[in-house]
Amino acid sequence: MRKLGLVLLVLGLVATSALGLSACGGSSSGKEGGMLVGTYASFPSYLDPALSYEVEGWTAMYDTYLPLLTYAHANGGAGSKVVPALAESMPKISNGGKTYTLTLRKGLEYSDGTPVRASDFKSSIERMFKLNSAGSGFYEGIVGAEKFAETKAGGIPGIKTNDKTGRIEIDLAAPRGTFSNELAMLYAAVLPSGTPAKNMTNDPPPATGPYMITKVEAGRSWSYARNPHWAKSNSQISEVPSGHVDKIEIKVVSNDSTQVNEIERGKADWMQTPISADLYNKVKDRYEGTQFRVERPINFYLFWMNTERPPFDDLKVRQAVNYAIDPAALERIYAGSLVAMHQILPEGMPGHEPFNLYPHNMVKAKQLIEEANPSDRNVTVWTDNESPNDEAGAYYEGVLNELGFNAKLKTINGEGYYPLVGNESTPDLDTGWLAFYEDYPHPNDFLQLLFSGESIAPTSNTNFSRFDDPKVTAKIKQLDEEPLGAKQESEYAALDKEIMEQAPIAPYGTNTVSTFVSSAVNLDGVVFNPTFGQDLTSFEFK
Amino acid sequence: MASETNGEVTPAVAGSPWRLAWRRLRRNGVALAFLGLFGLIVVFCLAAPLWASEVAHTGPNKSHTLKKLHVGGEEREVVNREGKPIGPQWLEAGGRFFLGADGRLGRDEMVRLMYGGRTSLAIGFAAAALTTILGTLLGLLAGYYGGWSDTLISRVMDVIWAFPVTLLAISLGLALAVGGLQIGPLQLSGSSVWITILIIGGVYVPYMARPIRGEVLALREKEFVEAAEAQGAAPARIMLKELLPNLSSTIIVFFALNVANAMLLEALLSFLGVGVQPPNGSWGTMLSSGLDLLSSAPMLTYLPGTMILLTVLAVNVFADGLRDAFDPKSRLRIEAHSGLSAAESIEGIAP
Amino acid sequence: MGRFAIRRLIGMVAVLFAVSVIVFLVFNVIPSSDPAHRMAGRAASPRLIASINQEWGFDDPLPQQYLTMMEKVFSGELISYFGRENVDERILEGIPATFSLCAGAAVIWLFFGLLFGYLSAMKAGGPLDRALTIAAVAGLSMPIPFLAAIFLNYLTYKTEIFPSGEYVDLTANPLEWANHLVVPWITLAILYVGFYSRVLRSNMLDAMNEDYVRTARAKGLSERRVIRRHVLRNSLVPIVTLFGLDVGALLGGAIVVEGLFNVNGIGQYAYESLKNLDLPPIMAITLFGAFFIVLFNALVDVAYAWLDPRIRLGTSAQ
């Protein structure tokens, strides 16, 4: 009898631990631990959450620095959902959408052992303003923030915190439907109050997430290890997984052929850089399903048309361009990595309902041009010089010439492109290429910047088409003030169509990226968040 | 006195230096062969419009991404769905896409190679001409007048010389590629080929001005110059009639070398995107875009790269032959490279 | 000698000053280089742009901005616009890699250049001579990006003979250090090997005809002693001056080679900064490079005067 009891006990223990292990391990039976070697084509501009404005930095810090809220660690549309991170639950929105109240979870600690306090949130936001970060624009709606940004003194009165209760109250000057999304951006990551107001890339601040950055070699590499205080105090955050591998090392390898080479040989496990057109199809054919997977970040590529100047001030001309663009040609130019689409809100963005108002029809396009008969046929086409964008620009130039225009292509060195075409004193801003990537997965991010009349600015302009329809501007503003729900999503979808009927732009597709891992890594387990990229906690070895 | 050229002994013969040089050159089979190669390349490039209109029926910048070729009953896509350009067709499509397509825009590689060569050669020659003219002029003025004009010119040359050549050229290329150049009435758009010519031509001026100055310094002491001065000849006349002819062999050799250097620098700048701007193409830009497709279409890299190599090689070998023909003794060699002529260094340390 | 040295020193400083002014002007004239707008990101409010202008001093008049930047270059406080890194620190970190690349390439080209030149001169006119000459000129005529592409393709990707880029510290692993640098060394050296071999060859051929050599032969000295004592020593003098000048200017070539092969040195930093139109690093690196050029120019002049007996003895032969 006692022997049977012992056997049952042992079996019971084994069963429970097996269940426990599989619950922690996520979706597979991979092994825990190991060191992941990753490669980037260039060192991220910043490894400081308050300063990083590029996806490369976001991917690197998604699991290291947590804000009050975060994006669900899931693939596809599910990854666009905002969930609580350092906060106990989603914010309580009151006062007509102008007050956000959150409570910090209890017992949270940084990777150096110090406790996380509610006032740390306030000082982190203030630090971001002191740094003149590119992200400060998202938080200027907080009461007193603008004044603080100018003077850098006196703190932000609109953020009130209580370290004892962990309560955080944020007052906005006006209702802002995108604010939860903005609270989930890395700019709002909570850092210790004493963190100096300078670029901390080379001396990373303590982490709140499952992985902490242990070493940085400027321009060359950086490494992660498990954050010991995650398991101890922070793993109560069920929305953020704990990660499988123990260590991660990222090196900068500038040539993407080299990166592909290293992964094929197993010297690296993952490459953050999208594979260039040269090798894309070879890698895809050979490794799709086993080591390679296509991912859909939220972006769209388009040609903007300046609606304030001839010839693009004529609706018929703009619609003709939309009809004239041939997705088959662009598919080839992007070597298969582009997914054709002809609207503003791409797949994965809430409010996306597929439609195509202008299916390719060159005959119709030429007919419209004939009807419009524009007198000014000289058109300057702008593009940047990174392949294949310059080729897309060259293709577009060819299309315009075919339509009877006299188009001239102007190629601008990559970094200088946006400031140049966003500056209204630049002559001949007729039309050009654009790649628009999201800041966060909320439709307002796309619509306001590109199509609101209020966004037209003399410099740093984002409304390249200079599209100014008071009804559209008002609608965008109205929807922005409401929190995002099913009703708002269908209204956004309608707005998408309404704007495309006026055709201020000619969108042509969404660019995909890829996850390419070595044979030692479990491909199916890798999670790709549309905003943050590959989730480091999801990598595990087979 | 007998002299040695390539290990052969040439008996001393009376005759003008030009005839002597010509005779030596004629005997240099290798140099002439490479001159012939260069000539072939030039003809190849000059034939571009002919090929474009008669054989390929397309221009260098016309894209054919969606075109399909009908060859021997089958249909071939110029650019397939995955963005891979078609390979060399040779004569199968009647000469169209002889060397294949140039990438995802589906342009005719052969036509682009020919037109690109025109651009590269034109830039090479124009820039070399600029360097030679300016270098000679400045070297003459500095060497002959001496004094403050020498100091001024030499200082300016020093400053340009102090820049690492690549850095200077790239910086200027970046600066001017967008806004173009505007000096008084002269206005050049950012994508004008002249900007590249000016940059490349200008950057090498010190490397020529210094040796010329050195030679002028040495020549100035010679009797025939002193005689001309004593006769009251104007400086300009002296420079033109007395000095320049004695410099001519140096100038000619330098010109050839400048062509080679200019072509290499143009290739580098265009490769980096700060030289020739689209839609103009040169071998340098073709090399750059070819490298993007190195794995899937290596020909697109090897074709422009080899053309640059062969052309520069031909020019260099011929320049060598010229040098041997004019001056079997090697003084020119050192000067060409270092800018310190033997004469200059003997005078004392260069100021 | 002292007065001359001081004059020279002042000249050097003047040249560096001019270089810095030119770089500053060139990059402030580019229309799209406006750093404030690029730093401010996409949705930049005028307030943010104003704050950035104030923080970085972009509103100040140009001469003042220039002075501030120069001050920071020398005090080690220069921060880059994009990436906000300490430029001087980054340059210091890159020195080992760049120095390894340049020194290694210099040793290689000097060794092979002199070897080939010597062989060519000794066997002048023969098939070896012709072959080496063609090889030398080919090396001179090679466009670097093309060569780099061929090397990378065949030596690194297709086969795996050499690893790609990534500088490995000499102290950490000497074998790997050399392994990673071999191909960049060869790429950088190829241009110069050809040139040096031909200079030595022609110098030696000329020297072998000089009177003093014939005298030595007549005196009964063995051919080898003749070559070693008289021919070589005099042929090497111009080589030294050339070498000095070339080494000084090596940074330019390093920029391209480091960029192509991912050798994390100053050259690659320059390459990236140029792509980013980031003025502070460009300024610092250009001054760094110019300093070496100017320094080596001066050293070469001194060495030339010291080595060449005609100058030392004060004769002014033509």
Side-chain angles (χ1 to χ4, degrees), chain A residues 29 58 61 97 110 130 141-142 155 161 166 173 215 244 283 293 368 396 402 458 473 516 524 536 539:
Chain A
S29 52
W58 293 359
M61 295 185 279
Y110 293 103
K130 283 191 208 161
I142 300 176
T161 64
K215 186 173 83 146
H244 302 288
V283 172
R293 196 176 73 190
L368 279 167
Y396 182 38
E402 205 182 324
T473 304
F516 183 42
D524 293 328
L536 293 174
F539 283 101

PDB file of all heavy atoms in Angstrom, chain A residues 29 58 61 97 110 130 141-142 155 161 166 173 215 244 283 293 368 396 402 458 473 516 524 536 539:
ATOM      1  N   SER A  29       7.654  22.721 -27.280  1.00  0.00           N
ATOM      2  CA  SER A  29       8.429  21.924 -26.349  1.00  0.00           C
ATOM      3  C   SER A  29       9.901  22.149 -26.572  1.00  0.00           C
ATOM      4  O   SER A  29      10.702  21.229 -26.548  1.00  0.00           O
ATOM      5  CB  SER A  29       8.094  20.450 -26.562  1.00  0.00           C
ATOM      6  OG  SER A  29       8.245  20.155 -27.936  1.00  0.00           O
ATOM      7  N   TRP A  58      13.410  49.988 -31.162  1.00  0.00           N
ATOM      8  CA  TRP A  58      12.241  49.463 -30.458  1.00  0.00           C
ATOM      9  C   TRP A  58      12.335  47.952 -30.292  1.00  0.00           C
ATOM     10  O   TRP A  58      12.022  47.412 -29.236  1.00  0.00           O
ATOM     11  CB  TRP A  58      10.957  49.826 -31.208  1.00  0.00           C
ATOM     12  CG  TRP A  58      10.681  51.294 -31.207  1.00  0.00           C
ATOM     13  CD1 TRP A  58      11.417  52.288 -30.608  1.00  0.00           C
ATOM     14  CD2 TRP A  58       9.591  51.940 -31.846  1.00  0.00           C
ATOM     15  NE1 TRP A  58      10.851  53.507 -30.834  1.00  0.00           N
ATOM     16  CE2 TRP A  58       9.725  53.328 -31.581  1.00  0.00           C
ATOM     17  CE3 TRP A  58       8.499  51.487 -32.594  1.00  0.00           C
ATOM     18  CZ2 TRP A  58       8.808  54.254 -32.060  1.00  0.00           C
ATOM     19  CZ3 TRP A  58       7.598  52.420 -33.060  1.00  0.00           C
ATOM     20  CH2 TRP A  58       7.751  53.780 -32.794  1.00  0.00           C
ATOM     21  N   MET A  61      14.596  47.111 -27.467  1.00  0.00           N
ATOM     22  CA  MET A  61      14.257  47.465 -26.082  1.00  0.00           C
ATOM     23  C   MET A  61      12.863  47.042 -25.636  1.00  0.00           C
ATOM     24  O   MET A  61      12.484  47.284 -24.495  1.00  0.00           O
ATOM     25  CB  MET A  61      14.414  48.978 -25.900  1.00  0.00           C
ATOM     26  CG  MET A  61      15.854  49.411 -26.071  1.00  0.00           C
ATOM     27  SD  MET A  61      16.088  51.161 -25.712  1.00  0.00           S
ATOM     28  CE  MET A  61      15.539  51.896 -27.243  1.00  0.00           C
ATOM     29  N   GLY A  97     -12.765  62.251 -21.375  1.00  0.00           N
ATOM     30  CA  GLY A  97     -11.598  61.785 -22.130  1.00  0.00           C
ATOM     31  C   GLY A  97     -10.338  62.558 -21.823  1.00  0.00           C
ATOM     32  O   GLY A  97      -9.319  62.369 -22.474  1.00  0.00           O
ATOM     33  N   TYR A 110      13.485  47.439 -10.372  1.00  0.00           N
ATOM     34  CA  TYR A 110      14.400  47.561 -11.511  1.00  0.00           C
ATOM     35  C   TYR A 110      15.451  46.450 -11.415  1.00  0.00           C
ATOM     36  O   TYR A 110      15.590  45.800 -10.382  1.00  0.00           O
ATOM     37  CB  TYR A 110      15.117  48.911 -11.501  1.00  0.00           C
ATOM     38  CG  TYR A 110      14.214  50.085 -11.736  1.00  0.00           C
ATOM     39  CD1 TYR A 110      13.813  50.897 -10.685  1.00  0.00           C
ATOM     40  CD2 TYR A 110      13.751  50.384 -13.023  1.00  0.00           C
ATOM     41  CE1 TYR A 110      12.977  51.987 -10.907  1.00  0.00           C
ATOM     42  CE2 TYR A 110      12.919  51.464 -13.242  1.00  0.00           C
ATOM     43  CZ  TYR A 110      12.533  52.253 -12.190  1.00  0.00           C
ATOM     44  OH  TYR A 110      11.707  53.325 -12.401  1.00  0.00           O
ATOM     45  N   LYS A 130      13.172  66.969 -21.550  1.00  0.00           N
ATOM     46  CA  LYS A 130      14.460  67.645 -21.370  1.00  0.00           C
ATOM     47  C   LYS A 130      15.435  67.264 -22.469  1.00  0.00           C
ATOM     48  O   LYS A 130      16.298  68.036 -22.856  1.00  0.00           O
ATOM     49  CB  LYS A 130      15.060  67.259 -20.015  1.00  0.00           C
ATOM     50  CG  LYS A 130      14.435  67.950 -18.828  1.00  0.00           C
ATOM     51  CD  LYS A 130      15.279  67.714 -17.577  1.00  0.00           C
ATOM     52  CE  LYS A 130      14.407  67.757 -16.343  1.00  0.00           C
ATOM     53  NZ  LYS A 130      15.059  67.104 -15.199  1.00  0.00           N
ATOM     54  N   GLY A 141       0.241  67.027 -25.325  1.00  0.00           N
ATOM     55  CA  GLY A 141      -1.147  67.283 -24.955  1.00  0.00           C
ATOM     56  C   GLY A 141      -1.366  67.265 -23.448  1.00  0.00           C
ATOM     57  O   GLY A 141      -2.435  67.639 -22.972  1.00  0.00           O
ATOM     58  N   ILE A 142      -0.358  66.846 -22.681  1.00  0.00           N
ATOM     59  CA  ILE A 142      -0.515  66.801 -21.230  1.00  0.00           C
ATOM     60  C   ILE A 142      -0.475  68.232 -20.695  1.00  0.00           C
ATOM     61  O   ILE A 142       0.337  69.052 -21.136  1.00  0.00           O
ATOM     62  CB  ILE A 142       0.619  65.976 -20.581  1.00  0.00           C
ATOM     63  CG1 ILE A 142       0.606  64.536 -21.121  1.00  0.00           C
ATOM     64  CG2 ILE A 142       0.484  65.964 -19.059  1.00  0.00           C
ATOM     65  CD1 ILE A 142       1.744  63.684 -20.608  1.00  0.00           C
ATOM     66  N   GLY A 155       8.621  71.144 -13.616  1.00  0.00           N
ATOM     67  CA  GLY A 155       7.873  69.893 -13.678  1.00  0.00           C
ATOM     68  C   GLY A 155       6.613  70.009 -14.525  1.00  0.00           C
ATOM     69  O   GLY A 155       6.245  71.098 -14.972  1.00  0.00           O
ATOM     70  N   THR A 161       1.323  62.074  -9.160  1.00  0.00           N
ATOM     71  CA  THR A 161       1.576  60.704  -8.727  1.00  0.00           C
ATOM     72  C   THR A 161       1.608  60.606  -7.207  1.00  0.00           C
ATOM     73  O   THR A 161       1.885  61.575  -6.511  1.00  0.00           O
ATOM     74  CB  THR A 161       2.939  60.204  -9.271  1.00  0.00           C
ATOM     75  OG1 THR A 161       3.975  61.002  -8.685  1.00  0.00           O
ATOM     76  CG2 THR A 161       3.010  60.289 -10.773  1.00  0.00           C
ATOM     77  N   GLY A 166       0.683  54.281  -5.362  1.00  0.00           N
ATOM     78  CA  GLY A 166       1.007  53.891  -6.730  1.00  0.00           C
ATOM     79  C   GLY A 166       0.080  54.490  -7.765  1.00  0.00           C
ATOM     80  O   GLY A 166       0.043  54.065  -8.909  1.00  0.00           O
ATOM     81  N   ALA A 173      -4.994  68.416 -21.975  1.00  0.00           N
ATOM     82  CA  ALA A 173      -5.643  69.678 -22.298  1.00  0.00           C
ATOM     83  C   ALA A 173      -6.909  69.449 -23.118  1.00  0.00           C
ATOM     84  O   ALA A 173      -7.858  70.218 -23.041  1.00  0.00           O
ATOM     85  CB  ALA A 173      -4.682  70.581 -23.056  1.00  0.00           C
ATOM     86  N   LYS A 215      25.938  44.944 -21.745  1.00  0.00           N
ATOM     87  CA  LYS A 215      27.172  45.545 -22.241  1.00  0.00           C
ATOM     88  C   LYS A 215      26.883  46.193 -23.577  1.00  0.00           C
ATOM     89  O   LYS A 215      26.140  45.638 -24.398  1.00  0.00           O
ATOM     90  CB  LYS A 215      28.223  44.445 -22.404  1.00  0.00           C
ATOM     91  CG  LYS A 215      29.603  44.965 -22.787  1.00  0.00           C
ATOM     92  CD  LYS A 215      30.641  43.861 -22.762  1.00  0.00           C
ATOM     93  CE  LYS A 215      30.583  43.089 -24.085  1.00  0.00           C
ATOM     94  NZ  LYS A 215      31.906  42.606 -24.497  1.00  0.00           N
ATOM     95  N   HIS A 244      12.830  32.652 -23.207  1.00  0.00           N
ATOM     96  CA  HIS A 244      13.371  31.297 -23.153  1.00  0.00           C
ATOM     97  C   HIS A 244      14.884  31.288 -23.046  1.00  0.00           C
ATOM     98  O   HIS A 244      15.455  30.588 -22.221  1.00  0.00           O
ATOM     99  CB  HIS A 244      12.960  30.512 -24.396  1.00  0.00           C
ATOM    100  CG  HIS A 244      11.483  30.446 -24.565  1.00  0.00           C
ATOM    101  ND1 HIS A 244      10.678  29.679 -23.754  1.00  0.00           N
ATOM    102  CD2 HIS A 244      10.660  31.058 -25.440  1.00  0.00           C
ATOM    103  CE1 HIS A 244       9.416  29.833 -24.136  1.00  0.00           C
ATOM    104  NE2 HIS A 244       9.365  30.665 -25.153  1.00  0.00           N
ATOM    105  N   VAL A 283      16.490  32.800 -50.507  1.00  0.00           N
ATOM    106  CA  VAL A 283      16.287  32.391 -49.117  1.00  0.00           C
ATOM    107  C   VAL A 283      14.860  31.889 -48.928  1.00  0.00           C
ATOM    108  O   VAL A 283      14.614  30.870 -48.286  1.00  0.00           O
ATOM    109  CB  VAL A 283      16.582  33.567 -48.161  1.00  0.00           C
ATOM    110  CG1 VAL A 283      16.188  33.225 -46.749  1.00  0.00           C
ATOM    111  CG2 VAL A 283      18.045  33.934 -48.225  1.00  0.00           C
ATOM    112  N   ARG A 293      10.121  33.167 -42.610  1.00  0.00           N
ATOM    113  CA  ARG A 293       8.699  33.469 -42.552  1.00  0.00           C
ATOM    114  C   ARG A 293       8.493  34.919 -42.933  1.00  0.00           C
ATOM    115  O   ARG A 293       9.251  35.789 -42.499  1.00  0.00           O
ATOM    116  CB  ARG A 293       8.213  33.214 -41.124  1.00  0.00           C
ATOM    117  CG  ARG A 293       6.717  33.116 -40.965  1.00  0.00           C
ATOM    118  CD  ARG A 293       6.375  32.767 -39.541  1.00  0.00           C
ATOM    119  NE  ARG A 293       6.598  33.890 -38.660  1.00  0.00           N
ATOM    120  CZ  ARG A 293       6.570  33.802 -37.339  1.00  0.00           C
ATOM    121  NH1 ARG A 293       6.357  32.631 -36.771  1.00  0.00           N
ATOM    122  NH2 ARG A 293       6.776  34.860 -36.589  1.00  0.00           N
ATOM    123  N   LEU A 368      -8.874  59.783 -68.811  1.00  0.00           N
ATOM    124  CA  LEU A 368      -9.064  60.822 -67.812  1.00  0.00           C
ATOM    125  C   LEU A 368      -8.122  62.002 -68.065  1.00  0.00           C
ATOM    126  O   LEU A 368      -8.486  63.156 -67.897  1.00  0.00           O
ATOM    127  CB  LEU A 368      -8.817  60.260 -66.407  1.00  0.00           C
ATOM    128  CG  LEU A 368      -9.979  59.486 -65.798  1.00  0.00           C
ATOM    129  CD1 LEU A 368      -9.525  58.719 -64.575  1.00  0.00           C
ATOM    130  CD2 LEU A 368     -11.109  60.433 -65.422  1.00  0.00           C
ATOM    131  N   TYR A 396       7.682  55.279 -61.648  1.00  0.00           N
ATOM    132  CA  TYR A 396       6.623  56.288 -61.590  1.00  0.00           C
ATOM    133  C   TYR A 396       6.872  57.380 -62.628  1.00  0.00           C
ATOM    134  O   TYR A 396       5.946  57.830 -63.318  1.00  0.00           O
ATOM    135  CB  TYR A 396       6.572  56.860 -60.174  1.00  0.00           C
ATOM    136  CG  TYR A 396       5.502  57.881 -59.899  1.00  0.00           C
ATOM    137  CD1 TYR A 396       4.227  57.778 -60.441  1.00  0.00           C
ATOM    138  CD2 TYR A 396       5.762  58.957 -59.063  1.00  0.00           C
ATOM    139  CE1 TYR A 396       3.250  58.716 -60.162  1.00  0.00           C
ATOM    140  CE2 TYR A 396       4.785  59.888 -58.773  1.00  0.00           C
ATOM    141  CZ  TYR A 396       3.542  59.766 -59.325  1.00  0.00           C
ATOM    142  OH  TYR A 396       2.579  60.705 -59.046  1.00  0.00           O
ATOM    143  N   GLU A 402       4.374  58.265 -69.792  1.00  0.00           N
ATOM    144  CA  GLU A 402       3.461  57.556 -70.677  1.00  0.00           C
ATOM    145  C   GLU A 402       2.102  58.241 -70.721  1.00  0.00           C
ATOM    146  O   GLU A 402       1.388  58.197 -71.725  1.00  0.00           O
ATOM    147  CB  GLU A 402       3.305  56.111 -70.191  1.00  0.00           C
ATOM    148  CG  GLU A 402       2.911  55.151 -71.298  1.00  0.00           C
ATOM    149  CD  GLU A 402       2.721  53.738 -70.780  1.00  0.00           C
ATOM    150  OE1 GLU A 402       3.481  53.352 -69.876  1.00  0.00           O
ATOM    151  OE2 GLU A 402       1.810  53.049 -71.275  1.00  0.00           O
ATOM    152  N   PRO A 458       4.990  74.657 -42.668  1.00  0.00           N
ATOM    153  CA  PRO A 458       6.030  75.137 -43.592  1.00  0.00           C
ATOM    154  C   PRO A 458       7.284  74.273 -43.591  1.00  0.00           C
ATOM    155  O   PRO A 458       7.923  74.112 -44.628  1.00  0.00           O
ATOM    156  CB  PRO A 458       6.336  76.558 -43.110  1.00  0.00           C
ATOM    157  CG  PRO A 458       5.746  76.660 -41.756  1.00  0.00           C
ATOM    158  CD  PRO A 458       4.669  75.648 -41.629  1.00  0.00           C
ATOM    159  N   THR A 473     -10.808  67.034 -42.302  1.00  0.00           N
ATOM    160  CA  THR A 473     -10.034  67.487 -41.142  1.00  0.00           C
ATOM    161  C   THR A 473     -10.872  67.413 -39.877  1.00  0.00           C
ATOM    162  O   THR A 473     -10.418  66.933 -38.841  1.00  0.00           O
ATOM    163  CB  THR A 473      -9.559  68.933 -41.366  1.00  0.00           C
ATOM    164  OG1 THR A 473      -8.815  68.998 -42.584  1.00  0.00           O
ATOM    165  CG2 THR A 473      -8.682  69.395 -40.223  1.00  0.00           C
ATOM    166  N   PHE A 516      14.113  35.442 -40.375  1.00  0.00           N
ATOM    167  CA  PHE A 516      15.003  34.394 -40.871  1.00  0.00           C
ATOM    168  C   PHE A 516      15.873  33.956 -39.710  1.00  0.00           C
ATOM    169  O   PHE A 516      16.593  34.751 -39.125  1.00  0.00           O
ATOM    170  CB  PHE A 516      15.858  34.937 -42.026  1.00  0.00           C
ATOM    171  CG  PHE A 516      16.759  33.920 -42.666  1.00  0.00           C
ATOM    172  CD1 PHE A 516      16.314  32.630 -42.924  1.00  0.00           C
ATOM    173  CD2 PHE A 516      18.053  34.254 -43.013  1.00  0.00           C
ATOM    174  CE1 PHE A 516      17.149  31.691 -43.517  1.00  0.00           C
ATOM    175  CE2 PHE A 516      18.893  33.315 -43.613  1.00  0.00           C
ATOM    176  CZ  PHE A 516      18.443  32.032 -43.863  1.00  0.00           C
ATOM    177  N   ASP A 524       8.456  28.500 -35.489  1.00  0.00           N
ATOM    178  CA  ASP A 524       7.036  28.697 -35.198  1.00  0.00           C
ATOM    179  C   ASP A 524       6.809  29.466 -33.911  1.00  0.00           C
ATOM    180  O   ASP A 524       5.777  30.103 -33.736  1.00  0.00           O
ATOM    181  CB  ASP A 524       6.324  27.333 -35.101  1.00  0.00           C
ATOM    182  CG  ASP A 524       6.299  26.644 -36.443  1.00  0.00           C
ATOM    183  OD1 ASP A 524       6.228  27.363 -37.456  1.00  0.00           O
ATOM    184  OD2 ASP A 524       6.354  25.411 -36.493  1.00  0.00           O
ATOM    185  N   LEU A 536      11.995  39.383 -28.561  1.00  0.00           N
ATOM    186  CA  LEU A 536      13.140  38.610 -28.093  1.00  0.00           C
ATOM    187  C   LEU A 536      12.742  37.511 -27.105  1.00  0.00           C
ATOM    188  O   LEU A 536      13.423  36.491 -27.000  1.00  0.00           O
ATOM    189  CB  LEU A 536      14.175  39.538 -27.439  1.00  0.00           C
ATOM    190  CG  LEU A 536      14.865  40.513 -28.398  1.00  0.00           C
ATOM    191  CD1 LEU A 536      15.754  41.473 -27.629  1.00  0.00           C
ATOM    192  CD2 LEU A 536      15.670  39.756 -29.436  1.00  0.00           C
ATOM    193  N   PHE A 539      12.073  33.868 -28.738  1.00  0.00           N
ATOM    194  CA  PHE A 539      13.070  33.003 -29.363  1.00  0.00           C
ATOM    195  C   PHE A 539      13.395  31.848 -28.434  1.00  0.00           C
ATOM    196  O   PHE A 539      13.670  32.037 -27.263  1.00  0.00           O
ATOM    197  CB  PHE A 539      14.363  33.771 -29.636  1.00  0.00           C
ATOM    198  CG  PHE A 539      14.271  34.675 -30.825  1.00  0.00           C
ATOM    199  CD1 PHE A 539      14.063  36.032 -30.658  1.00  0.00           C
ATOM    200  CD2 PHE A 539      14.397  34.168 -32.108  1.00  0.00           C
ATOM    201  CE1 PHE A 539      13.973  36.877 -31.755  1.00  0.00           C
ATOM    202  CE2 PHE A 539      14.315  35.013 -33.210  1.00  0.00           C
ATOM    203  CZ  PHE A 539      14.101  36.362 -33.030  1.00  0.00           C
TER     204      PHE A 539
END
